[in-house]
């Protein structure tokens, strides 16, 4: 069994009377795909983004049993006015709920909320839950602010109270230190690192110990940097017992690695050696399969690199199947 916890959707259409700031999906002559037009974005969205029958056929072809569907990241436009962002989120969430309802044994849905207005985002979570969605996807930063910023704490507190999950998708922000061509590679890795680290350093992870949060692409560079934070906290190498008098930044709370092992991570890191490191450092119970499908092609079959690690079968099943349901907080479908 295999759950793809990182798969995206796009609505097929938008209302004819939608605000001018809404995306448009235009037909392409002689093609089942549609063209997404949204600000500067021009993207050919093939039919697997919005057609349930096509999605299921693609699942079957690659050995996927269930997809956790989240909005295509360009829809997370936090630069829109809050009211228009809320209107867009509601349209996307309605489409997501309908797609999931068409095949609930094959799809789980995540919604979106207008994070540019944290109060409105928190207030919308009950509606997300009432639609049967398991949680929400958010970007790794909100108009340049880290998700660990104190103004987002009530949002995460409400997520925890409602027992909804959150999927943090790395969203590259332009930086003068790297060229635009690096946005989808190095900057994505930086974004994952900053998002996960901000949840620890801000105190949000401490304030929301039961929050079920997952980071795309294994939180980028975070797994390689957190051992350094562990050393600063404990003063020792290899997670040996802390020696506070040798530490640089010790406190009485959980260690950085303990916090890191509260989070979930998708395993889309493109290399079996990186996967092995994630299993060794974070634990097999923290990893989920992810693909970014259909924005990116899946491995064929899905999870091929993961299976090449020759893990104990019980650990492999945790990553391919059981961990997703632990994160979602629901029993697996029969």
């Amino acid at each position: 069994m295999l759950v793809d916890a990182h798969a995206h959707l796009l609505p097929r259409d938008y209302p004819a009377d939608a605000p001018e700031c809404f995306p448009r999906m235009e037909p392409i002559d002689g093609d089942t795909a549609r063209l997404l037009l949204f600000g500067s974005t021009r993207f050919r969205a093939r039919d697997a983004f919005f057609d349930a029958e096509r999605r299921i056929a693609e699942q079957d072809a690659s050995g996927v049993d269930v997809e956790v569907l989240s909005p295509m990241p360009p829809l997370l436009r936090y630069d829109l006015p809050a009211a228009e962002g809320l209107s867009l989120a509601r349209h996307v969430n309605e489409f997501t709920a309908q797609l999931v309802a068409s095949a609930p044994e094959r799809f789980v849905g995540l919604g979106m909320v207008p994070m540019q207005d944290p109060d409105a985002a928190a207030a919308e979570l009950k509606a997300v839950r009432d639609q049967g969605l398991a949680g929400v996807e958010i970007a790794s930063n909100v108009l340049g602010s880290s998700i660990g910023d104190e103004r987002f704490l009530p949002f995460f507190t409400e997520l925890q109270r409602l027992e909804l999950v959150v999927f943090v998708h790395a969203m590259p922000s332009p930086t003068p230190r790297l060229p635009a061509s690096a946005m989808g590679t190095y900057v994505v890795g930086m974004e994952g690192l900053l998002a996960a680290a901000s949840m620890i350093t801000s105190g949000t992870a401490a304030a929301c110990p039961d929050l079920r949060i997952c980071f795309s692409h294994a939180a980028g560079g975070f797994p390689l940097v957190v051992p350094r934070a562990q050393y600063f906290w404990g003063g020792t190498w290899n997670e040996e017992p802390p020696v506070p008098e040798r530490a640089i930044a010790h406190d009485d709370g959980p260690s950085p690695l303990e916090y890191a092992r509260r989070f979930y991570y998708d395993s889309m890191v493109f290399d079996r050696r990186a996967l092995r490191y994630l299993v060794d450092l974070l634990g097999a119970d923290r990893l989920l399969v992810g693909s970014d499908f259909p924005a990116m092609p899946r491995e064929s079959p899905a999870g091929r690199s993961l299976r090449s690690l020759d893990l104990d079968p019980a650990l492999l099943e945790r990553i391919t199947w059981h961990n997703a349901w632990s994160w979602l907080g629901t029993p697996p479908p029969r």
Side-chain angles (χ1 to χ4, degrees), residues 19-234:
E20 196 171 306
C21 66
F22 263 45
R24 300 199 315 276
M25 287 284 269
E26 296 186 349
I28 302 173
D29 289 343
D31 199 332
T32 58
R34 297 174 76 79
L35 182 65
L36 172 69
L37 304 171
F38 197 14
S40 61
T41 299
R42 300 290 185 274
F43 180 76
R44 179 185 175 275
R46 59 195 191 89
D47 54 3
F49 272 104
F50 47 79
D51 183 275
E53 185 175 344
R54 171 52 55 191
R55 290 202 78 106
I56 291 172
E58 296 272 8
Q59 285 185 28
D60 292 343
S62 57
V64 172
D65 296 279
V66 178
E67 289 176 316
V68 182
L69 303 176
S70 54
M72 186 70 171
L75 296 178
L76 303 177
R77 282 279 302 276
Y78 300 145
D79 59 324
L80 296 178
E84 294 174 357
L86 178 59
S87 180
L88 175 60
R90 286 175 171 171
H91 177 76
V92 174
N93 294 348
E94 181 179 359
F95 176 84
T96 303
Q98 291 172 353
L99 188 61
V100 169
S102 71
E105 73 283 2
R106 304 300 295 267
F107 302 133
V108 177
L110 302 180
M112 55 183 272
V113 289
M115 293 296 289
Q116 59 268 52
D117 184 339
D119 292 337
E124 190 65 12
L125 290 175
K126 184 177 183 300
V128 168
R129 185 186 64 178
D130 291 346
Q131 286 178 291
L133 302 179
V136 293
E137 175 188 56
I138 66 171
S140 53
N141 73 84
V142 181
L143 302 177
S145 294
S146 294
I147 59 172
D149 189 288
E150 63 181 1
R151 65 195 176 103
F152 302 120
L153 178 57
F155 168 76
F156 289 112
T157 301
E158 183 68 356
L159 271 172
Q160 179 178 257
R161 187 185 74 82
L162 294 174
E163 298 184 339
L164 293 171
V165 305
V166 58
F167 179 59
V168 181
H169 198 288
M171 185 69 78
S173 297
T175 171
R177 300 179 66 185
L178 290 171
S181 60
M183 291 300 104
T185 54
Y186 298 103
V187 179
V188 163
M190 292 162 50
E191 276 293 326
L193 159 61
L194 292 171
S198 77
M199 294 295 286
I200 296 174
T201 58
S202 68
T204 301
C208 300
D210 298 321
L211 180 68
R212 299 198 305 278
I213 185 170
C214 179
F215 293 90
S216 74
H217 306 293
F222 177 70
L224 274 176
V225 172
V226 73
R228 179 181 175 91
Q230 182 76 14
Y231 172 80
F232 273 54
W233 178 85

Side-chain angles (χ1 to χ4, degrees), residues 3-7 265-269 288-293 298:
V3 178
D4 185 346
H6 181 175
Y265 309 84
D266 83 28
S267 61
M268 194 185 176
V269 293
L288 315 173
V289 174
S291 72
D292 227 336
F293 177 85
R298 288 190 177 104

Side-chain angles (χ1 to χ4, degrees), residues 1-3 284-285 287-289 306-307 311-326:
M1 294 290 187
L2 188 141
V3 178
D285 62 334
L287 302 181
L288 315 173
V289 174
L306 181 66
R307 291 190 173 99
L311 295 173
D312 179 275
L315 294 183
L316 180 63
E317 283 195 3
R318 294 186 77 165
I319 299 172
T320 60
W321 179 252
H322 297 291
N323 291 345
W325 302 108
S326 295

Side-chain angles (χ1 to χ4, degrees), residues 277-297:
Y277 176 74
L278 294 173
V279 170
D280 289 347
L281 184 77
L282 299 173
D285 62 334
R286 297 291 100 187
L287 302 181
L288 315 173
V289 174
S291 72
D292 227 336
F293 177 85
M296 296 181 68

Side-chain angles (χ1 to χ4, degrees), residues 226-292:
V226 73
R228 179 181 175 91
Q230 182 76 14
Y231 172 80
F232 273 54
W233 178 85
T236 57
W237 289 54
N238 303 309
E239 207 174 354
E240 294 162 355
V243 181
E245 58 270 22
R246 285 165 43 190
I248 299 171
H250 190 78
D251 58 47
D252 294 331
S255 73
L257 273 168
E258 288 177 285
Y259 279 126
R261 292 179 185 131
R262 292 182 184 179
F263 305 155
Y264 290 89
Y265 309 84
D266 83 28
S267 61
M268 194 185 176
V269 293
F270 306 101
D271 195 297
R272 63 190 304 276
R273 294 162 295 187
L275 284 170
R276 172 64 70 183
Y277 176 74
L278 294 173
V279 170
D280 289 347
L281 184 77
L282 299 173
D285 62 334
R286 297 291 100 187
L287 302 181
L288 315 173
V289 174
S291 72
D292 227 336

